[in-house]
Amino acid sequence: MKNPMSLEGNNVIVTGAGQGIGEAVARLVVDLGGRAILVDLQGDKVGAVAASLGADRAEAHVGSVADPSFVQDMVGKVVARHGAVHGLVNNAGIVRAAMIHKMSAATWQQVIDVNLSGVFYCLQAVGRHMLERADAGDKSPATIVNISSDAGRRGTIGQINYGAAKSGVMGITMSAAREWAPKGIRVNSICFGVVETEMTETIRSDKFRDRVLAQVPMGRFSNPEEVSQPVCFLLSPAASYITGQHLSVNGGYTIGV
Ligand code: NAD
């Protein structure tokens, strides 16, 4: 039987792939038979991850998802080189914490630019290409996974910029899913709880750890390898009838929300 999660022959762009969850997703894309196109601001890191995967299966692009001309150029180069983009994982993200009454306009904007506008720029550039393929009668896979967060479902203290952006990502997912479903393009979100990466070092520290874990029915955090699997599930043919959904991957943190 063919593996229903196979990504054989799929070219998949993964943003924020220099470390953490994005790196794990890129590695699993390759393990599942695909080619990973890794995008990140950190050239040294993303270059090393791509090199470890092999030049025939992975390549690195250095730039910011918040820069629409970089995004357009990057997608154009990938299409010119490989013919098609079959998957996009909008994963790049940042945190810039401050309580609401102390947050500067610049701190607000920085997170919105990367975590919300960056998702839109990548989705739009890849979506235009996928629409062209669909209109030409090409039925090969066309799937987009946007990385959101429990912060987008429930709000968060000290990160209103992040919470607003992650709620917005779910809005982007629903609108794009509705607009593009007739063309065969699937768009879904994943909402993570707490995953062991650099981003969550503070909330996993001794000061907060027990308080946070008390709210997670499974009583543990996750790791990038574990959460990369549901991302690839949504990219794969196993999720062929799923679009416009927000899948929580959080040990039960938001049951019923
Ligand atoms: P991370 O900080 O370990 O990695 C993020 C990567 O994104 C880094 O390599 C960074 O260089 C890159 N990046 C940042 N800004 C960029 C930009 N403008 N353009 C291109 N690349 C950029 O974070 P992570 O924990 O792996 O998080 C990945 C995604 O998952 C983020 O969207 C994050 O908000 C989301 N998320 C993470 C958790 C968690 O518990 N770790 C929970 C919920 C959601």
Side-chain angles (χ1 to χ4, degrees):
M1 178 192 157
K2 189 171 160 43
N3 176 4
M5 270 185 62
S6 170
L7 295 176
E8 201 82 47
N10 284 213
N11 300 318
V12 180
I13 295 176
V14 183
T15 69
Q19 64 181 47
I21 296 165
E23 176 184 351
V25 170
R27 292 191 182 284
L28 187 54
V29 163
V30 170
D31 280 350
L32 289 166
R35 174 184 285 113
I37 319 293
L38 298 89
V39 178
D40 207 289
L41 273 179
Q42 304 185 81
D44 49 345
K45 285 197 176 177
V46 76
V49 176
S52 74
L53 290 167
D56 53 331
R57 304 295 297 282
E59 66 190 40
H61 294 255
V62 182
S64 173
V65 297
D67 174 355
S69 54
F70 161 74
V71 170
Q72 196 58 54
D73 185 57
M74 178 272 295
V75 173
K77 281 181 181 149
V78 174
V79 172
R81 189 172 303 161
H82 302 297
V85 176
H86 303 101
L88 164 67
V89 181
N90 260 317
N91 168 80
I94 57 170
V95 172
R96 298 288 182 271
M99 299 305 275
I100 298 170
H101 63 290
K102 291 184 178 165
M103 186 173 287
S104 68
T107 300
W108 163 266
Q109 198 58 50
Q110 208 179 351
V111 171
I112 297 297
D113 285 350
V114 176
N115 295 13
L116 185 61
S117 300
V119 168
F120 171 69
Y121 298 143
C122 294
L123 172 131
Q124 184 188 48
V126 169
R128 282 176 174 153
H129 154 71
M130 288 174 168
L131 286 174
E132 272 175 28
R133 272 179 26 228
D135 288 343
D138 182 340
K139 300 249 187 273
S140 59
T143 64
I144 298 175
V145 179
N146 297 321
I147 304 304
S148 182
S149 168
D150 283 344
R153 282 196 194 276
R154 299 187 41 144
T156 178
I157 294 172
Q159 297 183 350
I160 193 171
N161 46 3
Y162 185 85
K166 292 303 189 183
S167 295
V169 166
M170 290 194 266
I172 285 177
T173 293
M174 293 186 287
S175 295
R178 280 188 191 279
E179 207 167 304
W180 292 344
K183 300 287 186 177
I185 304 169
R186 295 188 300 102
V187 188
N188 291 289
S189 299
I190 290 212
C191 300
F192 293 130
V194 180
V195 185
E196 290 161 348
T197 68
E198 204 174 295
M199 186 178 275
T200 56
E201 271 169 7
T202 306
I203 54 170
R204 288 185 293 105
S205 67
D206 289 347
K207 188 171 171 197
F208 299 110
R209 186 185 174 85
D210 290 348
R211 220 181 315 160
V212 176
L213 276 183
Q215 297 175 62
V216 181
M218 287 180 73
R220 66 175 177 84
F221 301 131
S222 189
N223 58 65
E225 289 68 35
E226 185 176 32
V227 303
S228 68
Q229 297 177 68
V231 175
C232 287
F233 159 69
L234 286 176
L235 285 174
S236 78
S240 57
Y241 198 50
I242 301 177
T243 198
Q245 305 303 307
H246 316 306
L247 174 63
S248 278
V249 177
N250 60 15
Y253 176 62
T254 54
I255 290 170
V257 174

